[in-house]
Amino acid sequence: MADAVLRSWQLMTVGPGSRHVTPDLHERLVRLFDLLPQTRLIEIETDAGGVSVSRDWPGDRMEEVSAIEAEIAAMPGISRLTLFQAAS
């Protein structure tokens, strides 16, 4: 068995087709996010309906990101900070 990888995020699945996300599919989706870090969202259509799959981070991580952004924006000489996200 492969060593468990510690991630700062977990997989979040939403939608009526979520019941089709088996442990095997879950691991494949995690692997896709690992290989394609710019991916924000994966949508899957199933016979039970759609499933939206994304990363879910703990709230304290997003608070830390916001604090760092504010610190950088407040530095002398900085007039703008833009973070680019993957296009959907």
Side-chain angles (χ1 to χ4, degrees), residues 7-35:
R7 292 180 177 82
S8 59
W9 53 271
Q10 63 183 8
L11 201 67
M12 180 170 68
T13 59
V14 178
S18 292
R19 67 184 175 132
H20 287 286
V21 180
T22 62
D24 180 54
L25 177 54
H26 181 276
E27 289 307 311
R28 290 171 192 254
L29 291 165
V30 167
R31 187 73 179 132
L32 278 176
F33 279 115
D34 283 344
L35 291 170

Side-chain angles (χ1 to χ4, degrees), residues 28-45:
R28 290 171 192 254
L29 291 165
V30 167
R31 187 73 179 132
L32 278 176
F33 279 115
D34 283 344
L35 291 170
L36 299 167
Q38 72 276 18
T39 301
R40 212 174 41 82
L41 177 69
I42 299 171
E43 292 186 342
I44 302 172
E45 284 298 320

